[in-house]
Amino acid sequence: MADSAATAAKPIKIITGADSFGCDLKDALVAHLRSLNLQVEDLGTSSYYSIAADVGRRVSSASSDDSNAAVETRGLVACGTGVGVAIFANKFPGVFAATCLTPAEALNTRSINNSNVLAVSGMSTSPESAIEILDTWLKTPFKSPCPASDSKPWPEEIQSFLDNSITEMPKIGAEVPRIEDSTCSICNLVKSRVLGPIDIIPGGSMKILRETPTSALVRFVAGSVEPAHHHTFGHDLVVTEGKKTVWNLTKKERFNLTVGDYLFTPAGDVHRVQYHEDTEFFIKWDGHWDMFFDEDLETAKRAIENESQNGSK
């Protein structure tokens, strides 16, 4: 795609990063970008979604920095699904990150949203398909005909709306008081979220952020216990506040988790949880929510009490 850089009004700089699930795809796309003689700043790979916050922060800073007016700075992020990194990059004003699994989606998000960060899926997208998505995203101008416009020019009324969005959308994030940059990016998700009760487990509440693949914020009050249970999906979680213990009864492992700790529990593994303090965590899984109990609450509490007594002897 020799004409992609020429199509843009300004020279383009791409800031890239990925987690371990998206690093191979990111590396393939970085090589492709460099073959197009585009400037690339590769931040490499870091644990889970923190890399997307780094990319988002830099793209946001560049979008508000007049000294960079001669260069258009965009971002490219990758994780297993492409969803988590998009969520985290979008926490910063002036960043419009979109997960694209097809060239049509890339064309739409450039035309409608003027997307400046592309998020791709390391699990769902081959390098060949991702290159086609990236090329489309690079060469598509804002407000161009796209599948959403039936491949026709946008009507004048909609073009006016899209023009206004360029100045209005960045104000949305800038007007909200933000956590200091030194605070972890997961904590940004926790602010201003209203969680609903988890009826089947006393003391728990949850807010679904996205469905299929699904992510949620979960809170439990101190002293709560999740009886032994399992899911049909594996799930990743990161603790943002408090302390908890997770017993993986299938693998006979115990994990004491506190702020910043990460844990993956495979599909089908039976696990029991105790919350020592008011605790919040970010959790992500593929598919719809399900939960199958392997014991009742009183049995779980007795098992925890017995372990505590035996451990103190």
Side-chain angles (χ1 to χ4, degrees), residues 90-194:
N90 274 322
K91 294 298 149 185
F92 299 89
V95 174
F96 313 120
T99 303
C100 296
L101 302 180
T102 67
E105 291 176 349
L107 204 159
N108 281 338
T109 197
R110 281 291 303 145
S111 173
I112 301 169
N113 311 116
N114 199 29
S115 167
N116 56 5
V117 174
L118 174 64
V120 292
S121 167
M123 295 192 302
S124 303
T125 309
S126 68
E128 295 76 16
S129 296
I131 287 172
E132 186 179 359
I133 291 168
L134 175 59
D135 284 347
T136 301
W137 185 78
L138 284 170
K139 71 181 181 181
T140 300
F142 180 49
K143 299 187 300 182
S144 60
C146 64
S149 69
D150 199 22
S151 298
K152 299 175 182 177
W154 289 106
E156 183 177 345
E157 178 183 358
I158 295 181
Q159 288 212 32
S160 176
F161 167 80
L162 296 176
D163 284 335
N164 290 333
S165 73
I166 296 301
T167 57
E168 293 175 359
M169 287 174 64
K171 295 178 183 178
I172 296 172
E175 292 170 352
V176 176
R178 305 191 63 80
I179 296 176
E180 296 297 326
D181 287 346
S182 60
T183 304
C184 76
S185 298
I186 293 174
C187 299
N188 288 332
L189 286 172
V190 177
K191 285 185 70 68
S192 303
R193 295 284 183 179
V194 178

Side-chain angles (χ1 to χ4, degrees), residues 247-311:
W247 289 267
N248 187 316
L249 303 179
T250 299
K251 293 186 169 60
K252 298 181 179 178
E253 296 174 329
R254 171 178 171 155
F255 304 93
N256 295 315
L257 307 178
T258 188
V259 177
D261 286 342
Y262 161 83
L263 179 65
F264 173 73
T265 301
D269 277 16
V270 177
H271 52 291
R272 179 191 298 133
V273 188
Q274 180 184 28
Y275 296 90
H276 308 288
E277 301 176 357
D278 290 349
T279 302
E280 295 177 345
F281 55 94
F282 174 83
I283 185 170
K284 173 186 168 294
W285 66 90
D286 290 324
H288 295 286
W289 173 259
D290 61 34
M291 190 171 191
F292 303 95
F293 287 101
D294 298 278
E295 66 182 4
D296 59 33
L297 182 57
E298 292 307 314
T299 300
K301 289 181 177 179
R302 284 197 300 270
I304 292 171
E305 184 178 356
N306 289 338
E307 179 177 311
S308 176
Q309 291 175 348
N310 292 333

